[in-house]
Amino acid sequence: MSSFEKELLGGAPEFQAVIRSAEVIAATDVTVLILGESGTGKELLARAVHAQSRRAEAPFVTINCAALPEGLAESELFGHCRGAFTGAVNENGGRVRAAEGGTLFLDEIGELPPAIQAKLLRFLESGECQAVGSTYCRQVNTRIIAATHRNLHALVQEGRFREDLYYRLNVIPLEVPPLRHRTGDTLRLVPIFTRQLSDQHGLETPRLLPEALDAMRTYDWPGNIRELRNVCERLVILFGGREVTVDNLPAEIRRKKTTATRVNGFELPEGGIRFDQLEQSLLLQALEKSRGNRSRAARLVGLTRDTFLYRLKKYAIG
């Protein structure tokens, strides 16, 4: 079983399309940019890419750019020499060198301080790493995988992220779809998580009644996989070996269920509709309004680009 199959759970076509791309990318040393909302599993995907690569036996080092103090960011990434600044009593090799031969995962890359972005760009282009206080550069063979939940292109337009660094990182983008766009995966993942967590806590697996499962299916899961797993853990601990009704679910999921019949002012007609025809119409309208720009069309209907392309292929829309 590959690292992708073991760690990245879900059978939704939208999700599997991302996994297939990641499997191809893993065999190369190309820089990867992973996009997606918080809680979608971006770090898991990065770890799977590393585990399936030629670098699998070398270190996988992570750093959260949002947690880097601006004054120490350069030292944390590229290291420093002894005496380079007040408090530098020992030499520090930095995260880039710590991951030599392997992979450095830069989480929340959109939060990287602007002063460090230029130095990261230099490393990506030349492989040169210069520690703070050092007079020479060292060649380091480290692969970079970056991730963000932010819109980097918008940050570039606002002048908060270097345009040249954006294009250097955006060689191979992988966009992890949110759970609400992963067809059928909520119901696939609930029994997996409840079994795993029951074993972990030494408890009997709870039995979710159909009404509870239906409420979980229609909930938007703004916290994505992380939120779903947390809810499953709560149910395992509080209702191990017992039946779970919709009333046992968190309040936000119950509230969503009571209002799910009407979304954005749309109400199902008494005579019903043909959902496939409605979906095709919306896809075609989105393409028309975006003048054929598929990325913009996907945004108009609230889908990721991969999901949108999958829908076009499903209905043979050219």
Side-chain angles (χ1 to χ4, degrees):
M1 179 181 292
S2 73
S3 297
F4 293 101
E5 295 170 317
K6 185 187 304 181
E7 300 295 338
L8 297 159
L9 306 173
E14 303 89 343
F15 185 62
Q16 286 299 315
V18 177
I19 299 305
R20 287 194 295 273
S21 297
E23 288 176 326
V24 174
I25 291 166
T28 74
D29 278 337
V30 71
T31 300
V32 182
L33 178 62
I34 303 177
L35 307 170
E37 297 177 7
S38 295
T40 50
K42 297 187 292 294
E43 183 172 343
L44 283 177
L45 182 59
R47 288 183 180 277
V49 168
H50 171 75
Q52 290 298 117
S53 73
R54 295 188 294 265
R55 299 172 177 266
E57 300 303 316
F60 178 87
V61 177
T62 70
I63 188 165
N64 186 336
C65 298
L68 281 175
E70 187 163 356
L72 296 177
E74 184 176 3
S75 170
E76 282 294 313
L77 278 173
F78 301 102
H80 63 255
C81 298
R82 182 179 178 181
F85 51 84
T86 302
V89 295
N90 295 305
E91 181 178 342
N92 173 20
R95 304 294 181 92
V96 171
R97 285 175 58 187
E100 186 163 13
T103 303
L104 176 63
F105 176 59
L106 299 173
D107 198 11
E108 299 302 346
I109 187 70
E111 313 302 326
L112 190 67
I116 312 305
Q117 293 178 20
K119 195 160 185 179
L120 177 60
L121 175 64
R122 178 183 175 89
F123 172 71
L124 287 170
E125 291 181 335
S126 66
E128 292 182 350
C129 176
Q130 184 174 8
V132 177
S134 175
T135 58
Y136 69 92
C137 295
R138 170 175 175 162
Q139 286 290 130
V140 180
N141 176 22
T142 296
R143 182 186 196 175
I144 297 294
I145 300 180
T148 182
H149 73 284
R150 305 286 295 275
N151 183 333
L152 287 188
H153 187 263
L155 294 182
V156 169
Q157 300 301 309
E158 296 168 9
R160 297 166 59 192
F161 199 84
R162 291 183 63 108
E163 184 175 26
D164 46 6
L165 177 58
Y166 168 67
Y167 288 116
R168 188 63 184 81
L169 288 170
N170 199 37
V171 179
I172 303 288
L174 292 173
E175 186 168 0
V176 186
L179 184 55
R180 63 184 175 276
H181 291 162
R182 290 171 53 172
T183 309
D185 267 359
T186 297
L187 296 187
R188 290 188 186 97
L189 294 173
V190 168
I192 295 174
F193 285 156
T194 52
R195 282 196 301 269
Q196 288 179 347
L197 292 163
S198 296
D199 291 343
Q200 177 181 321
H201 292 289
L203 297 169
E204 191 176 344
T205 304
R207 299 183 298 280
L208 277 74
L209 296 182
E211 60 175 2
L213 288 170
D214 191 51
M216 295 177 78
R217 179 184 60 81
T218 58
Y219 180 57
D220 281 344
W221 299 103
N224 292 295
I225 302 297
R226 184 184 295 122
E227 183 184 9
L228 175 62
R229 191 180 188 280
N230 288 346
V231 168
C232 288
E233 187 163 23
R234 184 187 311 181
L235 296 178
V236 165
I237 293 172
L238 296 179
F239 303 100
R242 296 158 55 192
E243 290 185 342
V244 175
T245 70
V246 71
D247 293 331
N248 300 135
L249 298 176
E252 59 271 20
I253 300 178
R254 298 199 306 271
R255 283 197 298 269
K256 176 66 179 179
K257 180 60 180 175
T258 61
T259 59
T261 56
R262 184 177 296 191
V263 180
N264 293 332
F266 176 78
E267 186 171 358
L268 184 69
E270 290 296 328
I273 60 169
R274 282 286 304 277
F275 187 79
D276 56 342
Q277 292 178 355
L278 175 63
E279 186 175 24
Q280 290 179 66
S281 175
L282 291 173
L283 295 173
L284 290 168
Q285 289 182 56
L287 284 171
E288 182 179 355
K289 289 183 181 297
S290 67
R291 298 182 180 178
N293 184 317
R294 297 186 174 190
S295 295
R296 182 165 176 266
R299 290 195 293 271
L300 288 175
V301 291
L303 300 175
T304 65
R305 190 174 188 275
D306 283 340
T307 302
F308 186 78
L309 294 178
Y310 168 76
R311 299 292 186 191
L312 293 183
K313 184 177 180 181
K314 174 181 175 182
Y315 295 115
I317 298 175

